[in-house]
Amino acid sequence: MARIELKQIAHSYLPKPEAESDYALRRHDHVWRDGGAYALLGPSGCGKTTLLNVISGLIQPTEGRVLYDGEDVTDLPPQRRNIAQVFQFPVIYDTMTVYENLAFPLKNRGMDTARIEARVGEVAEMLELTPHLRRRAMALGADAKQKISLGRGLVRSDVAAILFDEPLTVIDPHLKWQLRRKLKQIHERYHLTLIYVTHDQNEALTLADQVAVMVEGEIVQVGTPQDLFEDPQHTFVGYFIGSPGMNILPCAVEPGAAVVGGQRIPLDGRLSDKAGAVQGALELGIRPEYLCLAESSANGAVPVAVKRVEDLGNYKIATLSLGAHTIKAKLPEDQDVPGEQAFLTFPPERTKLYADGRLVA
Ligand code: ADP
Ligand code: MG
């Protein structure tokens, strides 16, 4: 296993990149800890596959260096990087048996037959492929084929890291859940450095100890699911993690308060002092969970119009408007919500400010 370090890494698919938007990966540093289980989460097109391919060596980055345990591997081809990579769609040999497919990466490295048998048996057992070992891969369905692909990624225990690129996309939902648990167990047992790409926040949160969130070619935050929930460093993290996501409202700042839709929302004093000096478009961020309804405008509560209330059993989601802005509040199931007009409290310790999408800390 290895610690993987990306130093000032950037990649453009264009021959002569100029503007920042020409880069699929924007220049940044990042370290993947040895033995860590990471999910790499971000919307389609944000650069997740590009980043994995830079790590594995399928892509030579336009700029920057890739280090494994301090050793510069930027110029080494994938075969010499000792990485296992599992793609979105099965990459297997159709004419080989399941056994031969799983044994292939080990045979290639000259492992003796007895050890290959033991290891293939173990991996097949884990993935419930044992009954199919003697069958040809082409005779199997899409799920089983993708399990073979996963198995080929997992069969070597001496790799520097395993990279998964949305490997459960073609797998049916029930099996998906089962395989996710399996991968987690495998990580716990072997302490592999594992990077798992997904655009599904549930998948990311169940699988990984640490979630790296990527936006427009850059990793903007790495943290535990709780860090990402409590302290989003970027509006995208706030919006993407959580259901519903964080409320993000364009605002202006005055001493002691943010102004949204003509209403003053009290801020932590130090925050409003800082915001006065910050460049860029300001936005207020607050999670639906932290908003409270109030009886009146006392204590800084602001008047809002009630648009809709959905009762979801354990809680209610109220859709409210403040001037031209829509706000979602997650309320206790027994909370009475007035029909048209309500007052909303933004607890200052939970109310965050963002400048050009980044947290004002
Ligand atoms: P993700 O895996 O997050 O969906 P990708 O890394 O595949 O994102 O793509 C990032 C950006 O790079 C996208 O804008 C995509 O269109 C572009 N891109 C990806 N692969 C290529 C390629 N081979 N040639 C040109 N542009 C590409
Ligand atoms: Mg991709």
Side-chain angles (χ1 to χ4, degrees), residues 18 24 73 97 119 121 180 193 199 215 255 276 284 298 312:
E18 284 162 17
V73 299
T97 64
R119 185 66 192 149
R180 238 186 248 162
T193 306
H199 60 262
V215 186
L284 176 153
L312 296 174

Side-chain angles (χ1 to χ4, degrees), residues 13-14 23-25 42-51 53 59 88 165-166 197 214:
Y13 289 100
L14 303 177
Y23 285 83
L25 277 186
S44 179
C46 75
K48 303 180 297 296
T49 296
T50 306
L51 185 66
N53 289 342
I59 288 179
Q88 200 165 357
D165 197 351
E166 313 204 35
V197 169
M214 198 163 178

Side-chain angles (χ1 to χ4, degrees), residues 13 24 31 39 50 109 134 136 231 270:
Y13 289 100
V31 174
T50 306
R109 302 185 76 83
R134 301 294 152 200
R136 280 193 202 290
D231 208 17
R270 282 166 306 174

Side-chain angles (χ1 to χ4, degrees), residues 1-2 10 84 90 95 98 107 125 139 151 209 227 232 239 245 284 287 291 321 339 357:
M1 299 309 118
T95 55
V98 175
K107 238 183 187 158
E125 200 58 34
D209 322 324
D227 295 334
Y239 185 74
L284 176 153
R287 291 222 173 260
L291 288 164
S321 52

Side-chain angles (χ1 to χ4, degrees), residues 3 24 41 58 124 189 228 246 261 297 313 359:
R3 171 182 196 270
L41 182 66
L58 289 174
R189 189 145 126 214
L228 300 180
M246 192 178 222
S297 63
L359 183 69

